[in-house]
PDB file of all heavy atoms in Angstrom:
ATOM      1  N   ASP A 257    -145.802  31.232  90.688  1.00  0.00           N
ATOM      2  CA  ASP A 257    -146.429  32.346  91.481  1.00  0.00           C
ATOM      3  C   ASP A 257    -145.546  32.637  92.638  1.00  0.00           C
ATOM      4  O   ASP A 257    -145.385  31.783  93.568  1.00  0.00           O
ATOM      5  CB  ASP A 257    -147.777  31.850  91.888  1.00  0.00           C
ATOM      6  CG  ASP A 257    -148.578  32.940  92.676  1.00  0.00           C
ATOM      7  OD1 ASP A 257    -148.110  34.117  92.629  1.00  0.00           O
ATOM      8  OD2 ASP A 257    -149.613  32.648  93.307  1.00  0.00           O
ATOM      9  N   PRO A 258    -145.022  33.866  92.772  1.00  0.00           N
ATOM     10  CA  PRO A 258    -144.140  34.200  93.894  1.00  0.00           C
ATOM     11  C   PRO A 258    -144.883  34.135  95.231  1.00  0.00           C
ATOM     12  O   PRO A 258    -144.283  33.680  96.235  1.00  0.00           O
ATOM     13  CB  PRO A 258    -143.699  35.701  93.576  1.00  0.00           C
ATOM     14  CG  PRO A 258    -143.888  35.772  92.126  1.00  0.00           C
ATOM     15  CD  PRO A 258    -145.073  34.981  91.791  1.00  0.00           C
ATOM     16  N   SER A 259    -146.107  34.533  95.304  1.00  0.00           N
ATOM     17  CA  SER A 259    -146.820  34.522  96.539  1.00  0.00           C
ATOM     18  C   SER A 259    -146.989  33.171  97.104  1.00  0.00           C
ATOM     19  O   SER A 259    -146.992  32.945  98.336  1.00  0.00           O
ATOM     20  CB  SER A 259    -148.167  35.223  96.406  1.00  0.00           C
ATOM     21  OG  SER A 259    -148.951  34.617  95.430  1.00  0.00           O
ATOM     22  N   SER A 260    -147.148  32.202  96.270  1.00  0.00           N
ATOM     23  CA  SER A 260    -147.275  30.787  96.664  1.00  0.00           C
ATOM     24  C   SER A 260    -146.015  30.251  97.317  1.00  0.00           C
ATOM     25  O   SER A 260    -146.048  29.464  98.321  1.00  0.00           O
ATOM     26  CB  SER A 260    -147.688  29.873  95.512  1.00  0.00           C
ATOM     27  OG  SER A 260    -146.684  29.743  94.561  1.00  0.00           O
ATOM     28  N   VAL A 261    -144.853  30.697  96.827  1.00  0.00           N
ATOM     29  CA  VAL A 261    -143.630  30.360  97.474  1.00  0.00           C
ATOM     30  C   VAL A 261    -143.487  30.961  98.816  1.00  0.00           C
ATOM     31  O   VAL A 261    -143.055  30.225  99.818  1.00  0.00           O
ATOM     32  CB  VAL A 261    -142.439  30.754  96.594  1.00  0.00           C
ATOM     33  CG1 VAL A 261    -141.099  30.413  97.242  1.00  0.00           C
ATOM     34  CG2 VAL A 261    -142.477  30.156  95.190  1.00  0.00           C
ATOM     35  N   ILE A 262    -143.838  32.187  99.002  1.00  0.00           N
ATOM     36  CA  ILE A 262    -143.820  32.847 100.306  1.00  0.00           C
ATOM     37  C   ILE A 262    -144.788  32.085 101.257  1.00  0.00           C
ATOM     38  O   ILE A 262    -144.479  31.767 102.478  1.00  0.00           O
ATOM     39  CB  ILE A 262    -144.203  34.281 100.242  1.00  0.00           C
ATOM     40  CG1 ILE A 262    -143.284  35.016  99.245  1.00  0.00           C
ATOM     41  CG2 ILE A 262    -144.135  34.925 101.659  1.00  0.00           C
ATOM     42  CD1 ILE A 262    -141.846  35.037  99.647  1.00  0.00           C
ATOM     43  N   TYR A 263    -145.976  31.753 100.749  1.00  0.00           N
ATOM     44  CA  TYR A 263    -146.956  31.018 101.592  1.00  0.00           C
ATOM     45  C   TYR A 263    -146.445  29.602 101.993  1.00  0.00           C
ATOM     46  O   TYR A 263    -146.609  29.271 103.174  1.00  0.00           O
ATOM     47  CB  TYR A 263    -148.266  30.930 100.796  1.00  0.00           C
ATOM     48  CG  TYR A 263    -149.366  30.192 101.542  1.00  0.00           C
ATOM     49  CD1 TYR A 263    -150.120  30.855 102.485  1.00  0.00           C
ATOM     50  CD2 TYR A 263    -149.675  28.819 101.331  1.00  0.00           C
ATOM     51  CE1 TYR A 263    -151.088  30.247 103.241  1.00  0.00           C
ATOM     52  CE2 TYR A 263    -150.660  28.138 101.995  1.00  0.00           C
ATOM     53  CZ  TYR A 263    -151.401  28.838 102.995  1.00  0.00           C
ATOM     54  OH  TYR A 263    -152.365  28.226 103.682  1.00  0.00           O
ATOM     55  N   ASP A 264    -145.806  28.925 101.041  1.00  0.00           N
ATOM     56  CA  ASP A 264    -145.239  27.601 101.431  1.00  0.00           C
ATOM     57  C   ASP A 264    -144.160  27.737 102.504  1.00  0.00           C
ATOM     58  O   ASP A 264    -144.045  26.921 103.367  1.00  0.00           O
ATOM     59  CB  ASP A 264    -144.637  26.963 100.202  1.00  0.00           C
ATOM     60  CG  ASP A 264    -145.754  26.530  99.207  1.00  0.00           C
ATOM     61  OD1 ASP A 264    -146.921  26.432  99.607  1.00  0.00           O
ATOM     62  OD2 ASP A 264    -145.390  26.192  98.057  1.00  0.00           O
ATOM     63  N   GLY A 265    -143.383  28.831 102.394  1.00  0.00           N
ATOM     64  CA  GLY A 265    -142.333  29.028 103.386  1.00  0.00           C
ATOM     65  C   GLY A 265    -142.940  29.286 104.776  1.00  0.00           C
ATOM     66  O   GLY A 265    -142.420  28.749 105.732  1.00  0.00           O
ATOM     67  N   VAL A 266    -144.007  30.088 104.842  1.00  0.00           N
ATOM     68  CA  VAL A 266    -144.653  30.349 106.106  1.00  0.00           C
ATOM     69  C   VAL A 266    -145.251  29.077 106.737  1.00  0.00           C
ATOM     70  O   VAL A 266    -145.132  28.792 107.884  1.00  0.00           O
ATOM     71  CB  VAL A 266    -145.705  31.464 105.942  1.00  0.00           C
ATOM     72  CG1 VAL A 266    -146.508  31.583 107.220  1.00  0.00           C
ATOM     73  CG2 VAL A 266    -145.085  32.745 105.545  1.00  0.00           C
ATOM     74  N   GLN A 267    -145.839  28.254 105.833  1.00  0.00           N
ATOM     75  CA  GLN A 267    -146.512  27.024 106.310  1.00  0.00           C
ATOM     76  C   GLN A 267    -145.378  26.037 106.877  1.00  0.00           C
ATOM     77  O   GLN A 267    -145.626  25.411 107.912  1.00  0.00           O
ATOM     78  CB  GLN A 267    -147.284  26.359 105.234  1.00  0.00           C
ATOM     79  CG  GLN A 267    -148.521  27.172 104.759  1.00  0.00           C
ATOM     80  CD  GLN A 267    -149.543  27.230 105.812  1.00  0.00           C
ATOM     81  OE1 GLN A 267    -149.756  26.377 106.663  1.00  0.00           O
ATOM     82  NE2 GLN A 267    -150.230  28.393 105.836  1.00  0.00           N
ATOM     83  N   ARG A 268    -144.292  25.928 106.169  1.00  0.00           N
ATOM     84  CA  ARG A 268    -143.294  25.047 106.616  1.00  0.00           C
ATOM     85  C   ARG A 268    -142.655  25.543 107.920  1.00  0.00           C
ATOM     86  O   ARG A 268    -142.316  24.812 108.809  1.00  0.00           O
ATOM     87  CB  ARG A 268    -142.123  24.914 105.588  1.00  0.00           C
ATOM     88  CG  ARG A 268    -141.088  23.889 105.999  1.00  0.00           C
ATOM     89  CD  ARG A 268    -140.015  23.701 104.882  1.00  0.00           C
ATOM     90  NE  ARG A 268    -140.656  23.145 103.640  1.00  0.00           N
ATOM     91  CZ  ARG A 268    -139.989  22.814 102.548  1.00  0.00           C
ATOM     92  NH1 ARG A 268    -138.670  22.921 102.561  1.00  0.00           N
ATOM     93  NH2 ARG A 268    -140.633  22.337 101.486  1.00  0.00           N
ATOM     94  N   ALA A 269    -142.453  26.880 108.000  1.00  0.00           N
ATOM     95  CA  ALA A 269    -141.887  27.421 109.290  1.00  0.00           C
ATOM     96  C   ALA A 269    -142.815  27.135 110.457  1.00  0.00           C
ATOM     97  O   ALA A 269    -142.351  26.805 111.536  1.00  0.00           O
ATOM     98  CB  ALA A 269    -141.705  28.942 109.102  1.00  0.00           C
ATOM     99  N   ASN A 270    -144.144  27.272 110.293  1.00  0.00           N
ATOM    100  CA  ASN A 270    -145.036  27.017 111.291  1.00  0.00           C
ATOM    101  C   ASN A 270    -145.074  25.518 111.722  1.00  0.00           C
ATOM    102  O   ASN A 270    -145.113  25.230 112.858  1.00  0.00           O
ATOM    103  CB  ASN A 270    -146.449  27.457 110.843  1.00  0.00           C
ATOM    104  CG  ASN A 270    -147.452  27.264 111.957  1.00  0.00           C
ATOM    105  OD1 ASN A 270    -147.363  27.841 113.058  1.00  0.00           O
ATOM    106  ND2 ASN A 270    -148.553  26.541 111.703  1.00  0.00           N
ATOM    107  N   ALA A 271    -144.960  24.614 110.708  1.00  0.00           N
ATOM    108  CA  ALA A 271    -144.941  23.245 111.012  1.00  0.00           C
ATOM    109  C   ALA A 271    -143.667  22.779 111.728  1.00  0.00           C
ATOM    110  O   ALA A 271    -143.768  21.866 112.525  1.00  0.00           O
ATOM    111  CB  ALA A 271    -145.059  22.390 109.721  1.00  0.00           C
ATOM    112  N   LYS A 272    -142.590  23.418 111.478  1.00  0.00           N
ATOM    113  CA  LYS A 272    -141.290  23.054 112.064  1.00  0.00           C
ATOM    114  C   LYS A 272    -140.892  23.902 113.222  1.00  0.00           C
ATOM    115  O   LYS A 272    -139.761  23.719 113.738  1.00  0.00           O
ATOM    116  CB  LYS A 272    -140.184  23.032 110.981  1.00  0.00           C
ATOM    117  CG  LYS A 272    -140.499  22.088 109.839  1.00  0.00           C
ATOM    118  CD  LYS A 272    -139.395  22.142 108.749  1.00  0.00           C
ATOM    119  CE  LYS A 272    -138.178  21.438 109.205  1.00  0.00           C
ATOM    120  NZ  LYS A 272    -137.156  21.276 108.170  1.00  0.00           N
ATOM    121  N   GLY A 273    -141.702  24.846 113.618  1.00  0.00           N
ATOM    122  CA  GLY A 273    -141.358  25.746 114.698  1.00  0.00           C
ATOM    123  C   GLY A 273    -140.192  26.720 114.426  1.00  0.00           C
ATOM    124  O   GLY A 273    -139.505  27.055 115.325  1.00  0.00           O
ATOM    125  N   VAL A 274    -140.091  27.060 113.180  1.00  0.00           N
ATOM    126  CA  VAL A 274    -139.089  28.067 112.750  1.00  0.00           C
ATOM    127  C   VAL A 274    -139.556  29.507 113.070  1.00  0.00           C
ATOM    128  O   VAL A 274    -140.686  29.816 112.805  1.00  0.00           O
ATOM    129  CB  VAL A 274    -138.687  27.947 111.257  1.00  0.00           C
ATOM    130  CG1 VAL A 274    -137.704  29.015 110.819  1.00  0.00           C
ATOM    131  CG2 VAL A 274    -138.107  26.518 111.042  1.00  0.00           C
ATOM    132  N   ALA A 275    -138.710  30.315 113.616  1.00  0.00           N
ATOM    133  CA  ALA A 275    -139.104  31.640 114.125  1.00  0.00           C
ATOM    134  C   ALA A 275    -139.361  32.659 113.067  1.00  0.00           C
ATOM    135  O   ALA A 275    -140.164  33.510 113.170  1.00  0.00           O
ATOM    136  CB  ALA A 275    -138.087  32.113 115.177  1.00  0.00           C
TER     137      ALA A 275
END
Side-chain angles (χ1 to χ4, degrees):
D257 182 12
S259 59
S260 67
V261 178
I262 304 298
Y263 181 77
D264 289 345
V266 172
Q267 294 296 325
R268 184 175 300 183
N270 185 56
K272 301 181 71 172
V274 174

